[in-house]
């Protein structure tokens, strides 16, 4: 099919799967911030979220497919682009391309690695040291698991750095998906560029806030 | 003689020299003496070539034609920027007054797999024509000459199409693009025709054929660096790439 084969079609697939992931990242942050309301907040949120297993699994399958398509075409498109421009200039002055736009493949692959780590850590809970217990209301104690994990400075640092990588990826990804969908004109191009940076920064700060409030002792067991 | 003509410059040039398409190339150093600030960049090179010829050496081969910024032939990356980095200026319209006495100038050909070097600074840009041939035309009735204003076109559409039609096919967008993509060029051609009633008949076929031709010719994919717009001597906007993306989506459902 044309959308899978054409250069423009693949870009649109990257855009749509990227948009799905951005929606997820926003919803996930809103959900996670329930931890700021303490044990009751996040444990209740997690309980409600998992009350409907079929829905959870549909969401997981959609997200995993989106990630798969995004990575697959991200790699293919990058390899094609490298092949199209292998001989560099002796001198090259970049006018507009940014560190973020030039390193999408690397920030993307780092995020993929982080997703694997994060899923093993808090979803599959297969990493050593993950505290699994129930709270007084016999709900799975997400709060204890997260607070214990982030009390370890190194773990908190890994999560914070991953969010810096997310910022870089989205600061190019957000304006880029809008352009690829064709939702752009002369006036919106600079606006979307700025909006991309602002939204990515807000998401980064929001996510990093969680390990920070735990490390600083504002949230304790 | 005006006063500033007396202030000539001496410049060090580092020029890409390559004997033929499959020969290895290298940067060679030349001295450009007595350069007038009023000269154009190509005139400066002409004089360097005169000296090379006098010394019995092979002159630097470079493309040029109109020397007035409209043909798109002059293709040189100067100090790392296609056409030298003066906004909306082709190499032939770049003047030596933008350089200082003692400057070092690096001059390289357009670099992209789809633009193979022929000799020195000359590259083969016929791959841009292949994209054009794939869809850059409209169907027209033959027969008697049509009335002047038989097809009404709004001023907005006409201006938009004219903005896209400013593209001179120079290939600077490809040379600047980290992906060696010709998407800005292709989008200008698609948008120019998509904006006009005459372009509607082939609209869907055009955008897909031109996008396919771009890939077949060995150009990379667009990843929205926007380096092309910044380097384009005609200021072609990446809004036309957004338009191409929209046209492509419309074509998907045709
Ligand atoms: S879009 Fe600009 S840089 Fe690209 S070929 Fe046309 S005039 Fe040259
Ligand atoms: S020689 Fe024609 S545009 Fe420069």
């Amino acid at each position: 099919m044309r959308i899978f084969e054409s250069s423009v079609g693949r870009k649109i697939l990257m855009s749509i799967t990227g948009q799905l992931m951005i929606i997820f990242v926003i919803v996930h942050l809103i959900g996670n911030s329930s931890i700021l309301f303490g044990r009751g907040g996040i444990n209740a949120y997690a309980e409600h979220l998992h009350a409907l297993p079929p829905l959870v699994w549909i969401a997981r399958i959609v997200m995993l497919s989106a990630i798969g398509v995004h990575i697959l075409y991200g790699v293919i498109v990058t390899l094609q682009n490298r092949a199209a421009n292998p001989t560099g200039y002796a001198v090259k002055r970049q006018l507009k391309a940014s560190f973020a736009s030039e390193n999408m493949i690397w920030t993307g692959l780092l995020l993929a690695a982080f997703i694997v780590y994060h899923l093993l850590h808090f979803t599959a809970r297969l990493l050593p040291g993950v505290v699994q217990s129930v709270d007084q209301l016999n709900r799975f104690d997400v709060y204890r698991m997260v607070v214990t994990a982030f009390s370890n400075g190194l773990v908190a640092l890994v999560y914070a750095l991953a969010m810096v990588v997310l910022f870089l990826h989205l600061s190019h990804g957000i304006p880029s998906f809008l352009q690829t969908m064709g939702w752009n004109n002369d006036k919106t191009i600079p606006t979307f560029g700025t909006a991309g940076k602002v939204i990515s920064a807000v998401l980064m700060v929001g996510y990093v806030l969680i390990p920070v409030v735990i490390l600083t002792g504002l949230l304790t067991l | 003689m005006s006063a500033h003509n007396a202030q000539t410059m001496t410049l060090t040039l580092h020029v890409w020299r390559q004997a033929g398409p499959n020969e290895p190339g290298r940067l060679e150093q030349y001295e450009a003496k007595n350069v007038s600030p009023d000269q154009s960049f190509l005139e400066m090179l002409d004089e360097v070539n005169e000296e090379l010829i006098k010394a019995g050496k092979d002159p630097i081969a470079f493309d040029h034609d109109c020397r007035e910024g409209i043909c798109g032939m002059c293709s040189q990356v100067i100090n790392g920027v296609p056409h030298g980095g003066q906004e909306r200026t082709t190499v032939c319209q770049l003047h030596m007054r933008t350089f200082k006495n003692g400057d070092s100038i690096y001059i390289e050909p357009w670099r992209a797999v789809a633009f193979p070097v022929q000799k020195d600074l000359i590259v083969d840009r016929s791959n841009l024509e292949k994209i054009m041939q794939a869809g850059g035309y409209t169907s027209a009735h033959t027969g008697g000459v049509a009335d002047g204003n038989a097809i009404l076109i709004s001023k907005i559409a006409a201006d938009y199409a004219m903005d896209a039609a400013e593209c001179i096919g120079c290939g600077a967008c490809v040379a600047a693009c980290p992906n060696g993509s010709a998407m800005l060029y292709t989008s200008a051609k698609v948008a120019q025709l998509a904006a006009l009633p005459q372009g509607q008949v082939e609209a869907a076929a055009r955008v897909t054929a031109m996008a396919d031709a771009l890939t077949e010719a060995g150009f990379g994919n667009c990843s929205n660096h926007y380096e092309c717009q910044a380097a384009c001597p005609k200021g072609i906007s990446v809004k036309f790439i957004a338009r191409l993306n929209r046209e492509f989506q419309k074509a998907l459902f045709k």
Side-chain angles (χ1 to χ4, degrees):
Chain A
M1 245 177 84
R2 213 180 285 153
I3 193 158
F4 295 103
E5 280 149 24
S6 164
S7 167
V8 186
R10 289 172 172 186
K11 191 161 112 148
I12 291 167
L13 286 175
M14 299 273 309
S15 170
I16 294 170
T17 51
Q19 290 169 59
L20 283 172
M21 286 186 268
I22 291 170
I23 293 170
F24 176 83
V25 162
I26 294 170
V27 174
H28 192 47
L29 175 61
I30 296 171
N32 287 1
S33 47
S34 62
I35 199 168
L36 301 174
F37 299 98
R39 176 168 276 128
I42 193 151
N43 288 5
Y45 164 68
E47 178 105 330
H48 285 130
L49 192 65
H50 295 107
L52 283 168
L55 269 185
V56 173
W57 277 103
I58 289 171
R60 282 177 176 166
I61 289 165
V62 169
M63 285 319 299
L64 286 176
S65 330
I67 292 172
V69 169
H70 200 78
I71 294 177
L72 178 71
Y73 286 114
V75 170
I76 294 177
V77 159
T78 305
L79 291 176
Q80 283 180 335
N81 292 350
R82 301 255 151 118
N85 195 10
T87 40
Y89 292 100
V91 178
K92 178 80 166 88
R93 185 158 63 86
Q94 222 62 281
L95 300 172
K96 194 77 175 64
S98 62
F99 180 83
S101 77
E102 290 195 277
N103 290 287
M104 289 302 273
I105 186 71
W106 302 118
T107 50
L109 290 175
L110 280 172
L111 286 173
F114 170 73
I115 292 169
V116 172
Y117 166 73
H118 181 50
L119 289 178
L120 286 175
H121 193 189
F122 286 154
T123 307
R125 301 171 198 135
L126 293 172
L127 296 186
V130 178
V131 180
Q132 307 202 53
S133 57
V134 287
D135 65 6
Q136 284 159 340
L137 296 175
N138 207 28
R139 298 174 300 202
F140 179 75
D141 200 345
V142 183
Y143 185 79
R144 178 178 289 277
M145 174 178 77
V146 174
V147 173
T148 317
F150 285 160
S151 302
N152 179 337
L154 194 64
V155 174
L157 187 67
V158 168
Y159 274 83
L161 287 178
M163 293 306 102
V164 175
V165 176
L166 179 72
F167 164 77
L168 286 172
H169 201 73
L170 292 190
S171 65
H172 179 68
I174 292 172
S176 199
F177 90 68
L178 291 159
Q179 165 79 352
T180 298
M181 296 313 286
W183 302 330
N184 236 346
N185 60 41
D186 274 335
K187 288 202 185 87
T188 59
I189 289 166
T191 314
F192 287 164
T194 313
K197 289 195 191 87
V198 172
I199 296 168
S200 316
V202 168
L203 287 169
M204 172 178 71
V205 169
Y207 275 110
V208 170
L209 209 60
I210 297 170
V212 166
V213 292
I214 292 170
L215 271 183
T216 52
L218 286 170
L219 274 187
T220 49
L221 283 179
Chain B
M1 196 198 275
S2 65
H4 67 272
N5 273 348
Q7 297 168 351
T8 60
M9 300 178 279
T10 302
L11 305 161
T12 308
L13 309 183
H14 302 267
V15 185
W16 185 261
R17 301 304 306 266
Q18 182 172 336
N22 300 312
E23 305 291 324
R26 78 224 155 268
L27 285 170
E28 295 247 332
Q29 196 174 319
Y30 301 96
E31 191 119 291
K33 295 201 195 83
N34 298 320
V35 177
S36 156
D38 294 340
Q39 279 180 315
S40 77
F41 200 85
L42 297 186
E43 284 165 343
M44 182 276 294
L45 282 180
D46 290 338
E47 293 206 348
V48 171
N49 275 345
E50 293 288 336
E51 295 301 317
L52 286 175
I53 292 166
K54 270 189 226 155
K57 292 188 186 140
D58 199 17
I60 302 161
F62 61 87
D63 259 333
H64 61 102
D65 189 9
C66 70
R67 297 211 176 193
E68 56 182 13
I70 55 169
C71 75
M73 283 303 281
C74 49
S75 41
Q76 300 174 24
V77 172
I78 300 166
N79 286 340
V81 184
H83 294 296
Q86 181 171 303
E87 217 177 303
R88 298 202 184 192
T89 308
T90 53
V91 178
C92 56
Q93 293 293 294
L94 184 66
H95 282 81
M96 297 316 292
R97 65 182 77 98
T98 58
F99 295 92
K100 291 192 313 292
N101 187 29
D103 274 0
S104 271
I105 306 178
Y106 284 82
I107 311 172
E108 299 177 67
W110 282 179
R111 292 212 187 278
V113 162
F115 284 167
V117 173
Q118 298 302 293
K119 189 170 195 286
D120 300 341
L121 302 172
I122 298 178
V123 300
D124 178 358
R125 291 173 301 148
S126 48
N127 275 324
L128 289 184
E129 304 309 323
K130 291 197 186 133
I131 298 175
M132 196 62 164
Q133 285 158 3
Y137 52 81
T138 62
S139 295
H141 293 293
T142 53
V145 179
D147 279 350
N149 287 322
I151 302 173
L152 296 179
I153 299 169
S154 75
K155 170 95 170 95
I156 295 168
D159 284 351
Y160 179 94
M162 274 307 292
D163 286 348
E166 260 198 87
C167 168
I168 55 175
C170 66
C173 42
V174 180
C177 178
N179 309 337
S181 178
M183 200 57 89
L184 189 64
Y185 167 86
T186 308
S187 74
K189 306 306 171 197
V190 166
Q192 170 195 333
L193 297 173
L196 299 174
Q198 292 93 328
Q200 299 316 306
V201 181
E202 289 94 357
R206 174 181 306 116
V207 63
T208 42
M210 289 181 92
D212 287 348
L214 170 135
T215 305
E216 267 160 43
F219 293 104
N221 309 286
C222 173
S223 65
N224 307 323
H225 290 294
Y226 299 169
E227 197 62 23
C228 49
Q229 175 180 329
C232 174
K234 298 295 153 186
I236 301 294
S237 164
V238 292
K239 78 172 173 196
F240 295 121
I241 300 184
R243 175 66 179 259
L244 179 146
N245 295 337
R246 286 202 297 278
E247 293 294 324
F248 183 89
Q249 288 163 40
K250 277 197 261 167
L252 277 179
F253 301 103
K254 288 248 163 83

